[in-house]
Amino acid sequence: MKIGNVEINGSALLAPMAGIGDKAFRELCHNYGAAYTVTEMVSSKGLIIGDRKSKELLSLGNEHPTGAQIFGDDPEIMAQAAVKCLEFSPEIIDINMGCPAPKIAMNGGGASLMKKPELAYEITKAVVGAVDVPVTVKIRAGWDETSVNAVRMAELIEKAGASAIAVHGRTRQQMYSGKVDLDLIYNVKKAVSVPVIGNGDITDEQSAAIMLEKTNCDAIMIGRGALGNPWIFQKINAYLNECRVIPDPTVAQKMAVMLRHIQKVIEYKGEYTAMREARHHAAYYTKGMRGGAALRKEICSFEHFEQLEEMAFRIVKDYE
């Protein structure tokens, strides 16, 4: 698949995830076969005023090709922010028009733009005109079940010059409940000529294959399915490209990856911040293991990497 002039060598992409998809996680998923990654969403206004946090979110490592994702509701500010993003050398600028979080959607950004197609068009057009890299847009099915308008949005976004569109097949009202609407993604794909990326409910090889088959989309974007499970990209790639099923990792392999992941977070953010973020990640890496509830409670008290390391060794020994 090509997004503008950017070659994406694979079908399994990592979705942008606020508070999760930082540089350490993107690099990890890239190393396991994610063909493309996107940064956590960055406030266009924050980026323009020089907010330190925004710049940290845009810091890239070796996970190329990567998109820098911005959100906001002012076309001029979004265009200026897109130009600022180029300082970090992303291959693509991505516009968030799908985030359902109240603090974003209730303040004019994210999925609230599903209610304002004309403004979505103006924002896309302004960003496309401001940068010399491809621009993509991530949308939802609509705001609620009475206003499912992803097809119309996609048509306007393509008209504004976007090079690809990612569609999460749920409305903002649904958040992450219910089932993703594959028919809707299929209809978006039929309506536009730019690549369409399907997103939602992809948790394994089978759901990835179903998304591709039922929607005819050009690629799939995996979000929550990659939490504590970065090898999902390797497994999907083997299944789609070679009709091969890779066995699930052993408990020892899971713990080794978890520790490498958190070590990277420490390298980039320091131990204090990393160990607080590790509580969330480690809960996913240990999901389904014996005594999972007790483990998650224990993890929440950790302050130092050695504590996590000791727990990982104990878990592995328990499964030997």
Side-chain angles (χ1 to χ4, degrees):
M1 177 180 69
K2 290 194 77 170
I3 297 178
N5 60 353
V6 178
E7 190 80 34
I8 308 295
N9 294 311
S11 300
L13 322 179
L14 176 66
M17 289 183 283
I20 299 292
D22 61 4
K23 178 164 63 172
F25 189 64
R26 294 194 307 270
E27 286 184 332
L28 181 62
C29 292
H30 172 77
N31 291 339
Y32 271 102
Y36 170 69
T37 66
V38 188
T39 68
E40 300 172 76
M41 61 181 178
V42 174
S43 164
S44 56
K45 292 178 181 177
L47 188 56
I48 291 303
I49 65 174
D51 174 58
R52 181 178 62 84
K53 179 65 173 177
S54 297
K55 292 181 178 180
E56 288 177 1
L57 294 174
L58 289 170
S59 174
L60 304 181
N62 65 6
E63 71 276 29
H64 296 278
T66 304
Q69 189 183 74
I70 54 176
F71 73 90
D73 62 350
D74 184 302
E76 184 177 348
I77 292 176
M78 287 286 282
Q80 293 174 16
V83 173
K84 282 278 188 183
C85 285
L86 297 183
E87 297 174 11
F88 299 87
S89 302
E91 284 79 9
I92 290 169
I93 301 295
D94 185 60
I95 303 173
N96 185 319
M97 296 188 185
C99 179
K103 68 178 182 180
I104 305 297
M106 297 306 180
N107 285 289
S112 69
L113 290 168
M114 299 300 298
K115 297 189 290 185
K116 304 173 182 178
E118 291 75 19
L119 178 57
Y121 169 84
E122 293 299 333
I123 288 172
T124 306
K125 185 176 180 181
V127 172
V128 169
V131 296
D132 58 0
V133 300
V135 173
T136 61
V137 181
K138 192 166 190 289
I139 64 174
R140 280 202 163 224
W143 178 257
D144 56 31
E145 62 183 12
T146 67
S147 58
V148 174
N149 63 342
V151 171
R152 174 62 176 153
M153 281 283 287
E155 290 172 338
L156 285 171
I157 288 166
E158 179 183 36
K159 183 179 178 182
S163 295
I165 301 164
V167 186
H168 184 113
R170 289 185 176 89
T171 64
R172 188 271 164 181
Q173 185 181 55
Q174 286 179 285
M175 299 291 282
Y176 298 101
S177 65
K179 290 185 177 181
V180 67
D181 189 341
L182 298 181
D183 290 337
L184 176 106
I185 299 174
Y186 173 75
N187 289 333
V188 170
K189 173 59 184 172
K190 280 202 307 182
V192 298
S193 59
V194 296
V196 170
I197 302 161
N199 175 225
D201 290 351
I202 300 171
T203 57
D204 54 24
E205 303 95 321
Q206 290 74 29
S207 53
I210 289 170
M211 171 70 81
L212 287 165
E213 181 181 352
K214 298 288 187 182
T215 69
N216 200 32
C217 60
D218 299 276
I220 53 174
M221 190 164 261
I222 302 150
R224 292 172 297 153
L227 297 179
N229 186 28
W231 42 84
I232 188 173
F233 298 97
Q234 183 183 58
K235 290 168 70 69
I236 288 173
N237 289 338
Y239 187 79
L240 295 178
N241 300 332
E242 306 168 31
C243 295
R244 184 166 58 94
V245 176
I246 295 178
D248 289 332
T250 64
V251 169
Q253 289 169 331
K254 286 183 179 181
M255 292 299 93
V257 171
M258 177 187 74
L259 293 176
R260 288 203 305 272
H261 180 179
I262 303 308
Q263 281 177 318
K264 268 294 180 184
V265 182
I266 291 172
E267 179 184 333
Y268 293 141
K269 301 180 181 181
E271 187 177 47
Y272 180 85
T273 298
M275 290 312 299
R276 276 144 187 81
E277 294 184 4
R279 297 168 184 176
H280 184 79
H281 288 296
Y284 279 99
Y285 280 109
T286 57
K287 187 176 180 180
M289 293 183 182
R290 289 195 291 267
L295 287 173
R296 287 188 286 276
K297 184 177 180 180
E298 182 182 359
I299 290 164
C300 287
S301 68
F302 290 169
E303 298 283 342
H304 302 289
F305 180 73
E306 289 75 16
Q307 293 171 289
L308 184 66
E309 199 171 32
E310 188 278 328
M311 184 199 75
F313 291 154
R314 180 163 27 95
I315 290 172
V316 172
K317 187 174 182 180
D318 185 47
Y319 275 85
E320 288 178 345

